């Protein structure tokens, strides 16, 4: 992983320590995959694969701590947030967006943005205010108000990897899946933006402008990242359409370029100070919809399997990596009251987030498209914390002085472990209790789709008295661009792909079949 040991020795010793460290990582990966396969085969949902990987890391890390393993070997397991953000997270996010059906995602895009932006802001502020009041009332360790908001921001980053894997296994409503996934991905960008902004506010004199800067910075980050991701996706589609790479002797080059574009999108956004998470998500959606159909059949099979494989490895390694580091790190367990009340406040804040945003969304939605109460409860329950909150909490150790960052890190560690093990393990029971298991239809996604999920353009009455050619052309153009679906079908798809509409639908169905088949074949679908 390129992490230098804390204690330098001879080159031979360092190389041996590196070999032992990598060997232990590979052994834990193999054990996690085998154990996950056994659990999935026996449909034992009380210990999901992510939870099993976290437990393996915790156990091995605890044994290494007790046995006083050499520092040079232990250094290979230190959780570095840069390594997580730059190498482990991109393939996970890309595969999630690449395997996501675009129709339920974009038909719920308004609700997703509401939960991700407004909901995360509500959850962060509610958590921060409650933690601050708890400190003032001597219920828990007291933190300054801005640092309470920093804690509220980092702990509001949801990571539903475990929940989504069980959603896929049991088969839940596509709109519910899109809401949980979309909110979690976009809320990461909001949580990171809030945390970094509050960190700036803490370092400088506080003013009213700083709070308006939060909103401005997030909008700047989100719009810029989305534009970068969509732009890279469109460039890749044009390249694969016109470069003529879909011949037998150029398929290796075709696959290599397809694999490089997502990382290019992520690193471009990070280099510009934007959110690589949002950028690579939209690159994945665009590349699936346009670039994928321009590949040869063999290349399509390869990239589908490759991204599923690498995301499975990254997800499993992330939880092992996190569990090992939790067992090895020094924690401040002297403030158990801070941990206990933080968990209660997070539950309250998550409820305020979900139910208030769902109420606002339902106000503007027609009756048949409103978010039912059982989906709201599933959303509330699905807000577990994971690697993103852990990475930000680890960063707070360096950002906050006098041990306050260590207290936040310990509390976040306890919350992550409890949420992944308890919430992740009880998700299957929750879904069955709410009666959303097996409800995978998407016929209620909106009035803009017919029974075949084809867009039905709104009708326009002809004005008999004004029959000029210009007005007729304007009406026709408005009719053909009255929604993104119509714009995509009439203009974007013909421009960016080399296939007609029927071929595109066949390719999309084939991709979904390959993805579901690879999930059944034993790869981790966390």
């Amino acid at each position: 992983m390129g992490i230098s040991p804390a204690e330098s020795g001879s080159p031979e010793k360092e190389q041996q320590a590196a070999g032992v460290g990598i060997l232990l990582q590979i052994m834990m990966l193999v054990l996690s995959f085998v154990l996950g396969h056994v659990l999935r085969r026996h449909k034992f949902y009380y210990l999901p694969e992510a939870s099993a990987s976290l437990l393996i890391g915790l156990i091995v890390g605890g044994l290494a701590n007790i046995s006083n393993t050499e520092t040079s070997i232990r250094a290979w397991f230190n959780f570095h947030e840069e390594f997580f953000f730059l190498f482990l997270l991109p393939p996970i996010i890309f595969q999630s967006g690449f395997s996501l059906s675009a129709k339920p995602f974009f038909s719920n895009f308004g609700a997703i943005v509401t939960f991700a932006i407004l909901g995360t802001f509500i959850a962060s502020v509610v958590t921060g205010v409650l933690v601050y009041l708890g400190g003032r009332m001597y219920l828990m360790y007291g933190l300054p108000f801005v640092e309470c908001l920093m804690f509220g921001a980092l702990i509001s980053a949801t990571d539903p990897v475990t929940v989504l894997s069980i959603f896929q296994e049991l088969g839940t409503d596509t709109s519910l899946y899109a809401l949980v996934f979309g909110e979690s991905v976009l809320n990461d960008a909001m949580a990171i933006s809030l945390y970094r902004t509050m960190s700036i506010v803490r370092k400088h004199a506080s003013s009213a402008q700083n709070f308006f800067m939060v909103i401005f910075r997030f909008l700047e980050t989100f719009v810029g990242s989305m534009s970068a991701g969509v732009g890279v996706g469109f460039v890749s589609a044009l390249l694969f359409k016109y470069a003529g790479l879909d011949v037998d002797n150029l398929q290796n080059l075709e696959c290599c370029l397809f694999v490089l574009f997502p990382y290019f999108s992520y690193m471009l956004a990070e280099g510009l100070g934007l959110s690589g998470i949002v950028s690579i998500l939209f690159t994945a959606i665009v590349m699936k919809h346009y670039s994928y159909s321009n590949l040869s059949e063999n290349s399509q099979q390869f990239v589908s399997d490759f991204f599923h494989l690498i995301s499975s490895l990254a997800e499993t390694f992330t939880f092992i990596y996190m569990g090992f580091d939790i067992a090895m790190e020094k924690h401040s367990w002297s403030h158990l009251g801070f941990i206990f009340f933080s968990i209660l406040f997070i539950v309250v804040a998550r409820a305020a987030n979900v139910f208030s945003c769902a109420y606002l969304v339902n106000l503007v939605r027609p009756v048949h498209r409103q978010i039912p109460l059982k989906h709201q409860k599933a959303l509330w329950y699905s807000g577990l914390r994971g690697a993103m909150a852990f990475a930000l909490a680890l960063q707070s150790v360096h950002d906050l002085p006098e041990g306050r960052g260590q207290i936040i890190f310990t509390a976040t560690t306890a919350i992550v472990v409890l949420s992944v093990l308890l919430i992740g393990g009880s998700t299957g029971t929750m879904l069955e209790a709410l009666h959303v298991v097996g409800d995978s239809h998407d016929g209620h996604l909106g009035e803009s789709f017919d029974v075949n999920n084809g867009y039905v353009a709104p009708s326009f009455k002809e004005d008999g008295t004004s029959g000029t050619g210009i007005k007729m052309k304007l009406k026709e153009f408005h009719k053909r661009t009255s929604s993104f679906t119509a714009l995509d079908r009439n203009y974007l798809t013909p421009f960016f792909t080399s296939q007609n509409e029927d071929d595109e639908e066949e390719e999309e169905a084939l991709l979904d079949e390959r993805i579901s088949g690879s999930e059944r074949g034993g790869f981790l679908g966390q």
Side-chain angles (χ1 to χ4, degrees):
M1 294 184 296
I3 302 171
S4 301
E7 296 181 358
S8 59
S10 64
E12 293 79 8
K13 285 287 186 181
E14 292 182 6
Q15 185 174 0
Q16 183 182 10
V20 174
I22 295 174
L23 175 63
L24 287 175
Q25 293 169 3
I26 293 175
M27 290 174 62
M28 287 190 289
L29 278 171
V30 171
L31 180 60
S32 297
F33 278 110
V34 173
L35 181 59
H37 170 71
V38 173
L39 293 173
R40 186 171 56 248
R41 185 175 183 180
H42 292 84
K43 298 182 179 180
F44 188 79
Y45 300 120
Y46 297 102
L47 185 64
E49 296 157 76
S51 303
S53 301
L54 183 68
L55 278 178
I56 290 173
L58 285 170
I59 294 171
V60 176
L63 293 176
N65 213 1
I66 295 173
S67 62
N68 195 21
T69 307
E70 290 185 22
T71 306
S72 56
I73 297 177
R74 294 167 61 177
W76 282 84
F77 293 91
N78 292 336
F79 190 98
H80 287 247
E81 55 269 25
E82 296 87 359
F83 179 74
F84 169 73
F85 282 117
L86 296 179
F87 294 99
L88 296 179
L89 192 59
I92 297 173
I93 299 298
F94 182 84
Q95 171 60 18
S96 299
F98 195 69
S99 61
L100 178 70
S101 179
K103 290 176 181 177
F105 179 81
F106 283 107
S107 65
N108 290 280
F109 190 71
I112 290 171
V113 171
T114 302
F115 283 111
I117 299 178
L118 179 61
T120 304
F121 182 79
I122 291 174
S124 301
V125 172
V126 171
T127 302
V129 170
L130 290 178
V131 169
Y132 179 76
L133 293 177
R136 297 303 94 186
M137 298 172 63
Y138 301 102
L139 297 175
M140 56 197 299
Y141 181 83
L143 294 174
F145 183 65
V146 175
E147 295 181 10
C148 291
L149 293 178
M150 291 176 65
F151 175 65
L154 70 89
I155 207 64
S156 297
T158 60
D159 187 8
V161 169
T162 301
V163 174
L164 291 179
S165 67
I166 299 176
F167 276 23
Q168 292 176 346
E169 290 284 342
L170 298 180
T172 57
D173 184 84
T174 52
S175 289
L176 176 60
Y177 184 92
L179 281 175
V180 173
F181 167 74
E183 184 238 350
S184 69
V185 173
L186 299 185
N187 118 299
D188 286 341
M190 181 65 173
I192 293 173
S193 178
L194 281 172
Y195 177 85
R196 291 175 179 174
T197 304
M198 289 302 154
S199 180
I200 295 174
V201 171
R202 192 190 69 84
K203 294 177 182 177
H204 300 85
S206 180
S207 65
Q209 294 179 348
N210 294 126
F211 295 97
F212 288 103
M213 185 174 62
V214 175
I215 300 174
F216 174 77
R217 173 165 296 187
F218 174 76
L219 292 177
E220 179 186 33
T221 301
F222 179 78
V223 174
S225 303
M226 182 178 66
S227 301
V230 171
V232 171
F234 281 150
V235 169
S236 70
L238 292 176
L239 174 66
F240 291 115
K241 179 179 179 180
Y242 293 109
L245 300 175
D246 55 343
V247 293
D248 291 339
N249 59 339
L250 292 179
Q251 285 181 1
N252 288 338
L253 176 61
E254 186 180 40
C255 294
C256 289
L257 290 175
F258 197 93
V259 169
L260 289 176
F261 267 106
Y263 261 107
F264 176 78
S265 171
Y266 188 92
M267 298 306 172
L268 174 66
E270 290 292 326
L272 295 175
L274 303 173
S275 172
I277 297 172
V278 177
S279 179
I280 199 171
L281 168 67
F282 282 94
T283 298
I285 294 173
V286 172
M287 290 186 71
K288 175 191 174 181
H289 193 59
Y290 301 107
S291 307
Y292 183 83
S293 60
N294 293 331
L295 300 178
S296 62
E297 185 176 350
N298 290 336
S299 297
Q300 289 177 355
Q301 180 68 53
F302 173 80
V303 297
S304 298
D305 294 340
F306 175 80
F307 281 116
H308 193 87
L309 169 65
I310 195 172
S311 68
S312 299
L313 287 170
E315 288 170 359
T316 306
F317 185 73
T318 296
F319 282 96
I320 294 174
Y321 195 29
M322 188 167 57
F324 194 95
D325 193 75
I326 288 173
M328 300 293 290
E329 285 283 344
K330 294 181 179 179
H331 298 282
S332 177
W333 298 109
S334 59
H335 300 285
L336 294 178
F338 188 90
I339 299 174
F340 175 76
F341 284 103
S342 294
I343 294 173
L344 293 182
F345 296 156
I346 289 168
V347 172
V348 174
R350 179 66 181 174
N353 167 3
V354 171
F355 295 112
S356 61
C357 289
Y359 176 77
L360 294 177
V361 170
N362 288 340
L363 283 179
V364 298
R365 278 191 170 188
V367 177
H368 66 281
R369 293 200 62 216
Q370 292 189 353
I371 304 174
L373 183 60
K374 62 181 182 180
H375 287 188
Q376 297 178 35
K377 293 178 180 178
L379 269 171
W380 169 69
Y381 198 85
S382 302
L384 57 85
R385 275 63 180 174
M388 185 66 68
F390 183 81
L392 290 176
L394 192 59
Q395 186 175 330
S396 72
V397 176
H398 309 291
D399 294 340
L400 301 181
E402 301 174 4
R404 295 197 293 269
Q406 193 68 44
I407 295 172
I408 290 177
F409 176 68
T410 301
T412 304
T413 297
I415 293 167
V416 168
V417 173
L418 290 175
S419 64
V420 170
L421 296 180
L422 297 182
I423 296 179
S426 58
T427 299
T429 305
M430 178 270 297
L431 293 177
E432 293 176 353
L434 294 176
H435 304 291
V436 294
V437 175
D439 187 19
S440 59
H441 61 80
D442 55 3
H444 63 285
L445 291 180
E447 66 277 3
S448 297
F449 295 91
D450 62 11
V451 293
N452 295 320
N453 283 331
Y455 178 75
V456 181
S459 59
F460 290 83
K461 294 183 180 179
E462 296 293 336
D463 188 357
T465 59
S466 58
T468 62
I470 295 178
K471 286 187 176 182
M472 293 295 294
K473 290 181 179 180
L474 287 175
K475 284 184 177 182
E476 180 65 22
F477 179 79
H478 184 237
K479 182 178 180 179
R480 291 171 63 86
T481 59
S482 54
S483 76
F484 175 78
T485 307
L487 177 67
D488 172 54
R489 172 175 296 181
N490 297 322
Y491 296 100
L492 297 180
T493 297
F495 182 76
F496 288 105
T497 66
S498 56
Q499 296 181 327
N500 57 36
E501 183 180 331
D502 295 335
D503 291 337
E504 180 194 356
E505 292 178 354
E506 290 178 2
E507 293 295 341
E508 185 173 346
L510 181 60
L511 174 61
D512 293 336
E513 181 180 352
R514 285 171 178 168
I515 291 173
S516 61
S518 59
E519 288 169 355
R520 291 192 301 269
F523 290 125
L524 274 177
Q526 298 157 318

